[in-house]
Amino acid sequence: MLSAPAIEAAGVPTLNEVVVKGKSNNLIGSANSANEGTVLKQQLDQRVVYRPGELLETVPGLIVSQHSGEGKANQYFARGFNLDHGTDLRISVDGMLVNQRTHGHGQGYADLNFLIPELASGLQYQKGPYYADQGDFSSAGAVSIGYVDKLPVGIANYTVGNQGYMRGLVAKSKDFGPGTLLFAGELLTKDGPWVTAENYKKFNTVLRYSQNTGNTRFNITAMGYGANWNSTDQIPERGVASGFVPRLGAIDPSDGGESHRFSLSSALQHASDYGITKANLYMVHSNLALFSNFTYFLDDPVNGDQFSQLDKRFQSAFNVSHAWVNNIAGFAVENTVGVQFQNDFIDNGLLSTKQRQTLSTTRRDHIVENSVGLYYQNSVQWLEKFRSVTGVRSDYYWFDVKSNNSVNSGQQYDSMTNPKLSFIFGPWAKTEFYINYGSSFHSNDARGTTTTIDPRSGDPLKPVTPLVRSTGYETGFRTAILPGLQGSVAFFRLDMDSELLFVGDAGTTEPSRPSKREGVEVSAFYMPNNWLTVDVDYALAKARFTGSDPAGNYIPGAIQGVGKAAIAIDNIGPLFGSMQFRYFGKRPLTEDNSVHSDNTMTLNGQIGFKIDKKVRVILQGFNLLNTHGHAIDYFYTSRLPGEPAAGVDDKHFHPMETRSFRVSLIANF
């Protein structure tokens, strides 16, 4: 039977349980790179988050933003990428892939609004294409959030705040026969600081049954989520300067959307003398109707440019892996083999609308997308101070597109095999060194692989490659040389064959040039005693298109510098609290860098008081400096009423939410 260290080295975490491989624990001897780690539940509970997706900002070098209404997926930035809504960042919750391929709004769309933070058991992250069990969308990294099987106490949380914020949560687990039943329900409403109230309303429910009989553990979980909202999308700087639109106003106040997600999942883990077998099966039904207007009156001066993106899908997946140890020529070889299946039935639509009423259909498509991923990985301790981890992964994709325009229908197949290799040296003086190499990929929108005619202009188009390879190189180290301190430094490079991306706003796929990203990431977690924790990280990246082009080689939106610092205090009596500082650096907005965003700095914090062992009250503050910065910036052409028909090139931005406060009363039962 595999020992715990062997299980960790083989990359097989226990079912719904975070392996102790975190920033607050010593990873030396178990990690395969300087860029992987775990954020423990205690650390997640100490974070002050404006929206659930911001829990991911506990990952070093990762920024989570929003450029539209709260019900829309977040915008992610990491490792020199503007990752849009998740194109090259693989995100999973409770074993279910959140990224949605061939999505109506954007490839890899990862909506985390169904996440209930109080149920998160921890967060694991791996950055770079060096891990055999991570497939599509994982070039920049992968983040996995687990859910607990059992709560130590029940939770009743009632929160109110300014800007129309109100949230209620009830969660409880109890013994049920030989297992445990967990249930949770959440209701939330929020208007935000906007001139047009968001009127954001959502519900979340979770029902889970789990059982642990020693060597065998399993669970079955049902989740439900639904939301609707109005959105204040990005606005042009010239409109604010002229007084046409206030800073917190909207050009088209009818923008917004509605979404729902229902899932049924199960997971099983069995340990025996032959190793550990893990399996999970899940089904997800989701629906999104999104109404946006980014160019205002450029294409249609009479009705405006609002459009609707529709995405309705049924997704099913099955993953199984087995880990075991062989003794070969006196060396213990730890092996993991796995198979991952996924099937998506998708209905997409792109419509021209006015005040959410359909004017015309740009395109409608029915897509069937299937994939199979196979991987193998082994780890060998060759010498006392040297071990290797090698792996290989092969992925196979099938696309079947039926479009309302038959010339854009068709079938495609593609496959790709990617090697992985890591060398680990040490430790010396509680310091370990790593060299990593690997390649991965992201899939492109299935519609782009079969489209031959632009659905708007009728111009001919060249179908794009279904799978796009990325290749990464990295070296770094981690150290625990000082008591209570865990630190890591990683130097990385990532080459992309092409930054191909389906542009949902236009209904077409636009290929771009190959690219290269180079950078460094530094992170440290310091816990000198049981009442103080300090967590800091800084990342710097240089992202460029390769080759030469008169337009320039900067990648628009690519993040350059990001820094974060968090401090938390607890176990000093009835008071506790935390503060978080975030630096979001400048990004080029054009290929020649003639236009770029400004940097932004924000400060969030909370202070709490424990009334007794079961009741506490917390005051949270967001954007405490009341920074009037931008959450996101773009540069493109739009047209306001009265402007030239060709429109005006301008910087467009989504303002950060103004300072706000929330008060929570939390009772345990």
Side-chain angles (χ1 to χ4, degrees):
M1 180 176 175
L2 282 173
S3 64
I7 295 170
E8 288 189 2
V12 187
T14 56
L15 183 68
N16 300 311
E17 180 180 347
V18 175
V19 177
V20 182
K21 293 173 59 179
K23 292 188 292 181
S24 59
N25 297 276
N26 195 340
L27 287 157
I28 293 172
S30 61
N32 298 335
S33 74
N35 65 54
E36 65 176 274
T38 293
V39 183
L40 304 181
K41 181 172 178 58
Q42 176 187 358
Q43 295 170 261
L44 295 178
D45 291 343
Q46 292 170 341
R47 304 296 285 201
V48 183
V49 294
Y50 190 82
R51 49 184 66 91
E54 290 181 3
L55 281 180
L56 270 63
E57 288 197 348
T58 56
V59 176
L62 177 62
I63 288 289
V64 178
S65 188
Q66 180 59 273
H67 75 96
S68 190
E70 285 299 315
K72 189 176 178 180
N74 295 117
Q75 192 113 1
Y76 308 98
F77 296 82
R79 291 210 154 189
F81 280 92
N82 173 356
L83 294 158
D84 195 46
H85 298 293
T87 306
D88 285 288
L89 180 68
R90 184 178 177 92
I91 302 172
S92 61
V93 172
D94 204 41
M96 295 180 287
L97 179 64
V98 181
N99 306 75
Q100 294 183 328
R101 52 201 193 182
T102 310
H103 189 271
H105 182 67
Q107 183 71 342
Y109 188 85
D111 181 2
L112 282 169
N113 285 296
F114 71 94
L115 177 68
I116 299 179
E118 288 86 348
L119 299 186
S121 62
L123 179 153
Q124 291 181 288
Y125 61 87
Q126 300 168 314
K127 286 182 283 184
Y130 317 118
Y131 306 93
D133 60 338
Q134 304 294 347
D136 201 359
F137 308 122
S138 65
S139 295
V143 181
S144 175
I145 299 175
Y147 264 14
V148 298
D149 284 336
K150 186 175 185 178
L151 291 167
V153 291
I155 303 171
N157 183 336
Y158 179 67
T159 303
V160 294
N162 56 335
Q163 302 177 356
Y165 185 90
M166 184 166 58
R167 176 182 185 248
L169 169 74
V170 176
K172 177 72 172 178
S173 59
K174 60 182 296 184
D175 294 338
F176 189 83
T180 301
L181 189 66
L182 169 71
F183 58 89
E186 176 192 31
L187 294 174
L188 185 148
T189 181
K190 184 173 79 70
D191 290 333
W194 318 109
V195 173
T196 301
E198 277 188 313
N199 196 26
Y200 175 52
K201 301 181 186 300
K202 81 168 181 178
F203 73 86
N204 261 322
T205 58
V206 174
L207 181 64
R208 160 174 281 182
Y209 176 77
S210 61
Q211 192 171 315
N212 184 352
T213 60
N215 288 337
T216 302
R217 305 176 63 185
F218 80 91
N219 65 48
I220 182 168
T221 307
M223 298 185 190
Y225 157 78
N228 57 76
W229 65 94
N230 301 320
S231 64
T232 296
D233 291 334
Q234 62 258 25
I235 53 178
E237 284 193 341
R238 68 185 186 279
V240 177
S242 68
F244 178 81
V245 59
R247 180 178 171 275
L248 299 175
I251 303 295
D252 191 339
S254 66
D255 289 350
E258 55 182 297
S259 177
H260 69 247
R261 179 189 186 277
F262 299 96
S263 67
L264 182 64
S265 62
S266 62
L268 171 71
Q269 178 178 290
H270 178 69
S272 69
D273 292 339
Y274 301 101
I276 290 183
T277 301
K278 293 179 61 185
N280 77 305
L281 170 69
Y282 62 89
M283 296 170 285
V284 179
H285 169 70
S286 63
N287 199 349
L288 173 70
L290 191 63
F291 298 88
S292 308
N293 187 345
F294 302 135
T295 53
Y296 320 125
F297 295 92
L298 180 65
D299 297 325
D300 189 337
V302 177
N303 296 303
D305 297 349
Q306 189 186 75
F307 57 93
S308 175
Q309 293 162 311
L310 308 177
D311 188 277
K312 183 178 182 180
R313 70 181 57 219
F314 180 81
Q315 173 186 338
S316 59
F318 175 66
N319 306 305
V320 60
S321 66
H322 183 70
W324 74 100
V325 173
N326 290 126
N327 193 303
I328 302 176
F331 296 102
V333 181
E334 299 166 357
N335 308 273
T336 304
V337 63
V339 184
Q340 299 169 342
F341 301 91
Q342 184 174 330
N343 167 263
D344 293 88
F345 288 95
I346 309 163
D347 286 303
N348 289 127
L350 179 61
L351 317 174
S352 294
T353 59
K354 180 180 181 180
Q355 296 182 355
R356 304 197 187 189
Q357 300 301 309
T358 301
L359 300 177
S360 62
T361 299
T362 303
R363 71 179 298 169
R364 279 189 176 273
D365 302 88
H366 175 73
I367 304 105
V368 179
E369 186 167 343
N370 295 298
S371 66
V372 177
L374 309 173
Y375 66 90
Y376 169 74
Q377 179 174 292
N378 75 33
S379 176
V380 182
Q381 188 78 42
W382 300 99
L383 302 170
E384 181 184 359
K385 302 290 186 178
F386 171 65
R387 61 187 170 94
S388 67
V389 179
T390 58
V392 62
R393 179 183 179 94
S394 295
D395 288 271
Y396 307 86
Y397 275 68
W398 295 265
F399 305 90
D400 187 352
V401 179
K402 292 181 174 61
S403 181
N404 61 333
N405 187 343
S406 60
V407 297
N408 289 333
S409 300
Q411 297 178 335
Q412 288 288 342
Y413 163 80
D414 201 1
S415 64
M416 184 176 289
T417 296
N418 291 295
K420 322 282 182 175
L421 178 62
S422 298
F423 295 135
I424 301 95
F425 303 89
W428 294 280
K430 297 184 179 179
T431 302
E432 198 166 56
F433 300 86
Y434 310 90
I435 298 175
N436 307 100
Y437 164 81
S439 57
S440 187
F441 72 101
H442 72 240
S443 63
N444 276 312
D445 192 296
R447 293 167 291 180
T449 69
T450 61
T451 296
T452 58
I453 297 294
D454 188 305
R456 281 186 170 170
S457 67
D459 296 334
L461 291 175
K462 183 179 179 180
V464 301
T465 304
L467 306 181
V468 178
R469 191 186 306 273
S470 60
T471 304
Y473 314 83
E474 188 160 329
T475 184
F477 67 90
R478 68 175 68 244
T479 183
I481 193 169
L482 298 178
L485 177 67
Q486 300 291 326
S488 66
V489 178
F491 299 89
F492 68 88
R493 171 175 168 171
L494 184 69
D495 297 334
M496 301 281 291
D497 284 356
S498 173
E499 301 215 359
L500 298 175
L501 184 66
F502 186 87
V503 182
D505 301 351
T508 61
T509 300
E510 295 180 358
S512 63
R513 292 175 277 157
S515 63
K516 177 177 69 175
R517 288 169 170 84
E518 298 173 315
V520 58
E521 294 178 330
V522 181
S523 65
F525 182 88
Y526 184 50
M527 190 172 182
N529 48 52
N530 69 342
W531 58 268
L532 174 66
T533 58
V534 180
D535 197 354
V536 296
D537 66 83
Y538 181 77
L540 185 65
K542 176 183 177 182
R544 298 288 189 272
F545 290 117
T546 56
S548 180
D549 192 295
N553 290 327
Y554 286 81
I555 302 175
I559 191 171
Q560 297 181 21
V562 54
K564 291 173 290 180
I567 182 171
I569 298 174
D570 200 356
N571 302 317
I572 55 172
L575 289 175
F576 61 95
S578 63
M579 295 286 286
Q580 297 157 214
F581 171 81
R582 185 186 79 163
Y583 168 78
F584 186 17
K586 295 180 179 180
R587 287 89 60 203
L589 302 181
T590 58
E591 293 183 10
D592 62 1
N593 198 31
S594 60
V595 182
H596 55 78
S597 71
D598 293 327
N599 59 54
T600 60
M601 290 177 282
T602 55
L603 183 68
N604 296 342
Q606 66 177 357
I607 185 170
F609 182 79
K610 302 172 185 176
I611 298 174
D612 58 31
K613 292 183 178 180
K614 293 187 176 181
V615 181
R616 63 191 188 276
V617 60
I618 301 175
L619 172 64
Q620 295 183 321
F622 302 89
N623 191 9
L624 292 171
L625 303 177
N626 205 27
T627 301
H628 284 189
H630 298 174
I632 191 74
D633 293 273
Y634 304 95
F635 186 80
Y636 58 86
T637 304
S638 64
R639 180 179 182 270
L640 298 175
E643 291 185 334
V648 177
D649 295 339
D650 196 9
K651 185 188 292 186
H652 299 71
F653 72 96
H654 189 261
M656 296 182 59
E657 291 83 357
T658 55
R659 182 167 49 215
S660 62
F661 297 93
R662 300 171 187 172
V663 178
S664 300
L665 179 64
I666 304 171
N668 298 127
F669 61 97

